[in-house]
Amino acid sequence: MSAPAPSAPAPAGPVVRISGLHKSFGEREVLTGVDLDVAQGEVVCIIGASGSGKSTLLRCVNLLEQPTSGTVEVLGVEVTDPDVDIDRVRAHVGMVFQQFNLFPHRSVLDNCTLAQRQVLKRSKAEAEAIARKNLAHVGLADRADSMPAQLSGGQQQRVAIARALSMDPALLLFDEPTSALDPELVGEVLTVMRELADEGMTMLVVTHEMAFAREVADRVIFLDAGVILEEGPADQVIGNPREERTRSFLRRVLDPTHVDEVTGTDA
């Protein structure tokens, strides 16, 4: 039996430090020199058009994508080091995907205890107690015995958040967690994320939900063509962006029916 994952280290510097990050898929360069630090307890939202590299950047943080060059440090450990024990780092990093990625043949409770028992080596009783606490946290205490197919999309995504929380993460990564949901279900997931932010969870969030980013984010990153074009407080980047490319993107997102009066094309 392998040893349980150690407690998350408390780095003296940022929880995440990205330096000179490049990522290419064949001839296509998706990230072209990204530098980004995320401090303890900070909520950073990454916005940008489809294809700008947002999800790729997030996936490089826990090495779901292997960077072409540059370095990524998580909790003081360089995950881009060829000798890194990435599983030990991932034990302290929760990720919530666009799709819920629940095991369809396992109950909600089983989905929230499996990794605890296999990775953290918790007993069945301890893992279930922690899972039930986190299911209550996301408003699903009464659905522990349900199967994923019996839940709405919003409920399934909240189960995915409870599953991530059950690993006691030091960092949560969200990859457009509401993009697969019907509009009326988005709010219940964003409410849980707001609560996590209020509790001081360090979060790196790829999102198209501008109202959420403006309300919750300590900092907003606008990624365009693989580079950080603009970053700063949410009120500045979303409310009063400096770059014309940022303004154009936000016009499209915030007012999809807007048409440029001069050219007659979408703004």
Side-chain angles (χ1 to χ4, degrees):
M1 179 180 294
S2 59
S7 300
V15 173
V16 178
R17 168 160 283 165
I18 299 170
S19 303
L21 183 63
H22 290 252
K23 174 61 181 178
S24 297
F25 295 96
E27 297 296 317
R28 184 168 65 95
E29 195 169 26
V30 177
L31 298 174
T32 59
V34 172
D35 298 299
L36 175 64
D37 287 356
V38 180
Q40 177 72 43
E42 189 176 23
V43 178
V44 176
C45 284
I46 305 172
I47 64 173
S50 296
S52 60
K54 306 184 303 297
S55 293
T56 299
L57 173 59
L58 202 70
R59 291 170 67 85
C60 284
V61 171
N62 63 355
L63 228 59
L64 291 178
E65 295 290 354
Q66 180 70 50
T68 304
S69 63
T71 60
V72 178
E73 295 181 19
V74 177
L75 297 166
V77 178
E78 185 188 336
V79 300
T80 43
D81 183 333
D83 296 324
V84 70
D85 184 346
I86 190 60
D87 289 336
R88 289 209 163 208
V89 177
R90 286 176 180 156
H92 308 297
V93 180
M95 187 160 185
V96 179
F97 299 87
Q98 297 178 36
Q99 302 297 329
F100 321 122
N101 289 0
L102 301 178
F103 293 111
H105 60 291
R106 292 183 177 270
S107 70
V108 165
L109 187 63
D110 285 346
N111 268 279
C112 293
T113 58
L114 185 61
Q116 291 190 68
R117 298 182 67 186
Q118 291 189 350
V119 178
L120 302 182
K121 307 304 178 186
R122 287 173 175 161
S123 68
K124 183 175 185 288
E126 182 184 13
E128 288 188 355
I130 290 169
R132 290 184 186 279
K133 178 192 72 173
N134 285 304
L135 287 169
H137 194 171
V138 301
L140 293 173
D142 60 338
R143 304 310 297 267
D145 296 324
S146 299
M147 302 299 286
Q150 297 174 307
L151 306 180
S152 70
Q155 289 172 325
Q156 289 187 61
Q157 193 61 296
R158 283 188 281 153
V159 171
I161 294 173
R163 176 179 60 187
L165 290 174
S166 294
M167 298 296 287
D168 298 329
L171 169 67
L172 278 179
L173 308 175
F174 291 88
D175 187 5
E176 298 190 30
T178 61
S179 66
L181 301 179
D182 292 333
E184 65 268 23
L185 302 178
V186 169
E188 63 189 54
V189 174
L190 295 181
T191 295
V192 171
M193 294 173 66
R194 286 187 186 95
E195 292 172 354
L196 294 175
D198 289 342
E199 293 163 7
M201 175 63 71
T202 307
M203 297 161 61
L204 191 54
V205 184
V206 171
T207 185
H208 286 297
E209 301 290 342
M210 295 303 117
F212 169 82
R214 192 163 187 172
E215 176 188 347
V216 176
D218 296 298
R219 190 158 38 110
V220 171
I221 304 294
F222 177 63
L223 200 65
D224 184 57
V227 298
I228 294 177
L229 190 62
E230 187 162 358
E231 69 175 294
D235 282 344
Q236 182 260 302
V237 174
I238 297 176
N240 187 29
R242 294 186 299 267
E243 300 290 335
E244 174 54 35
R245 179 69 187 93
T246 315
R247 292 193 291 269
S248 173
F249 166 77
L250 288 169
R251 282 197 297 270
R252 288 180 179 271
V253 173
L254 299 175
D255 185 9
T257 63
H258 178 83
V259 176
D260 189 282
E261 294 180 359
V262 176
T263 65
T265 60
D266 289 347

